[in-house]
Amino acid sequence: MARKRLVTSAAVRGKRVLVRADFNVPQNEHGEIADDRRILEALPTLRYLRENGARTVVMSHLGRPKGRPDPRWSLAPIAQRLSGYLGQPVPLLAPITGPDSRDRVRALREGEFALLENLRFDAGEEANDPAFAAALAELGELFVEEAFGSVHRAHASTVGVPQRLPAYAGFLVEKEVEELSRLLDRPTRPFVAILGGAKVADKLPLLRSLPGRVDRILIGGALAFPFLAAQGADLGATPVEEGLSGSVGELLERAQASHTKVVLPEDLLVEVPGRRDAQAASANRVPAGAVARDIGPRTRDRFYSELADSRTVFFNGPLGLAEDPRFSAGTREVLAGLLTIPGFHVCAGGDSARVAEDLGVAEAFQFVSTGGGAALEFLEGRELPGLAVIPNAAG
Ligand code: ADP
Ligand code: 3PG
Ligand code: MG
């Protein structure tokens, strides 16, 4: 994929620079930041802008609030963390647009920062509403795209604003495009995708272009449930997303046509009401009332044997409810196996990266992407909307 025009080619001194970051960080049940990799990864660009005298306005979404302010999804904890890392105040501007935020942005001095409140507090963000995009664009004179995790979204901040301002890529976006391009341009084979996680309806349609690009697809996590259900498995009380059998069928047909092997769980670990410990079950028959939470030991071994000769690996989505120690073994053992296998291994996804870190197996990866859905869509091989609007580098 062509290189994007980088922030280093912009004259930023004294300018108001709008930076789209992806601070959609994993949070714990108290709404506290559970992993701040996405904040850390944006720092080089933010520090570069400070050193070069920009007046920087950062913006992001967090979670999926429904187009109106909701304190549960405030960026206040992010502003605080950012301020700690940058060693200077990062005021949070709310409401996002309007005279108050405009005045405070205009009052910023060289090297200073402000953070806009959660973009999804305005319904205009996800709708890419022209009036909202114009109001955001008015806050800056230049735009820097640093939200790799969101470049698959055609929203106001990722498409509408860069259409209205001179637009550049930040260092994180440049690194992500460079590393993930290695998976598209003649990856060393066998190339194996390990897929799981919970955003099943989002992810399933994205998998259709993987057959042919990869040699094997190992499916675990909640992502496996619609596949098992389509085979007629009885999954007990496991919640299975409805309406996905078409996507499942299409993926399996495409895999067959391109000789890509799809490997589904043979056994599962399930939670039985009233029992503390995990129980093993066949993937065809989960006991009535039980809920599937992880892949079982036979599946772990099978996944490992499919990985043993691999030379390129893409991992997105924990293979079970890895936050619960009773259901973390699937993800932990498969990724620990990867530690012993040479090759280029990419971990993608906010939760996947956090889980790999928490389980002590992050070393299995040569590259950890900040994108989940974005990295999956990147693997489809087409240019994502938030990248297509950034001009390519000259020469
Ligand atoms: P990512 O953020 O890496 O793209 P997702 O958001 O799709 O991944 O999914 C991550 C979440 O999926 C994890 O927090 C994990 O607990 C959950 N998960 C995976 N498998 C299961 C399962 N079998 N049952 C319940 N939750 C699951
Ligand atoms: C992500 O976490 O994948 C990105 O921040 C995008 O979030 P979204 O799926 O809610 O658009
Ligand atoms: Mg996630």
Side-chain angles (χ1 to χ4, degrees), residues 281-295:
S282 150
N284 294 324
R285 248 182 74 75
V286 169
V291 178
R293 298 284 196 210
D294 194 9
I295 58 171

Side-chain angles (χ1 to χ4, degrees), residues 57-118:
V57 181
V58 194
M59 55 182 178
S60 176
H61 75 285
L62 174 65
R64 293 179 170 176
K66 303 267 176 285
R68 54 185 134 70
D70 177 348
R72 164 69 184 82
W73 298 109
S74 170
L75 289 191
I78 312 271
Q80 199 183 7
R81 186 69 60 99
L82 205 50
S83 161
Y85 282 133
L86 291 168
Q88 69 191 86
V90 179
L92 183 68
L93 306 189
I96 307 163
T97 56
D100 185 55
S101 86
R102 200 175 50 223
D103 290 349
R104 293 179 68 186
V105 166
R106 287 191 191 275
L108 285 176
R109 288 181 305 210
E110 291 186 7
E112 290 187 340
F113 294 92
L115 176 67
L116 301 183
E117 184 51 288
N118 193 337

Side-chain angles (χ1 to χ4, degrees), residues 205-338:
L206 303 181
L207 308 185
R208 60 194 297 279
S209 66
L210 284 183
R213 288 192 185 278
V214 305
D215 301 294
R216 295 166 209 155
I217 304 176
L218 317 181
I219 302 183
L223 186 63
F225 302 153
F227 288 87
L228 296 172
Q231 288 179 347
D234 175 357
L235 293 173
T238 308
V240 182
E241 284 196 56
E242 308 265 331
L244 296 175
S245 61
S247 298
V248 166
E250 190 191 358
L251 178 71
L252 295 176
E253 270 168 38
R254 293 172 74 105
Q256 196 167 28
S258 58
H259 306 288
T260 299
K261 201 194 259 189
V262 175
V263 184
L264 295 170
E266 297 165 30
D267 58 344
L268 298 164
L269 293 184
V270 306
E271 183 165 13
V272 178
R275 295 197 59 158
R276 269 302 298 160
D277 49 335
Q279 307 290 309
S282 150
N284 294 324
R285 248 182 74 75
V286 169
V291 178
R293 298 284 196 210
D294 194 9
I295 58 171
R298 276 190 291 129
T299 305
R300 284 178 227 151
D301 290 348
R302 174 73 198 280
F303 280 13
Y304 180 76
S305 69
E306 296 290 350
L307 286 163
D309 67 341
S310 69
R311 288 297 171 267
T312 305
V313 173
F314 176 81
F315 165 65
N316 171 255
L319 299 177
L321 182 63
E323 293 82 359
D324 182 330
R326 296 173 297 166
F327 302 110
S328 62
T331 310
R332 189 182 59 243
E333 297 208 1
V334 170
L335 298 188
L338 265 191

Side-chain angles (χ1 to χ4, degrees), residues 26 199 203 349-352:
K199 283 184 177 172
K203 286 180 179 174
D351 291 298
S352 300

Side-chain angles (χ1 to χ4, degrees), residues 9-52:
S9 64
V12 300
R13 186 163 300 280
K15 294 274 171 51
R16 285 174 286 118
V17 179
L18 256 183
V19 179
R20 174 55 156 108
D22 187 339
F23 293 149
N24 184 27
V25 296
Q27 294 174 296
N28 65 18
E29 65 274 26
H30 309 296
E32 295 157 352
I33 299 170
D35 176 63
D36 63 4
R37 173 185 296 273
R38 282 178 164 181
I39 300 176
L40 291 171
E41 294 275 7
L43 291 176
T45 291
L46 298 181
R47 291 190 174 122
Y48 171 85
L49 289 169
R50 173 170 67 190
E51 278 154 26
N52 287 277

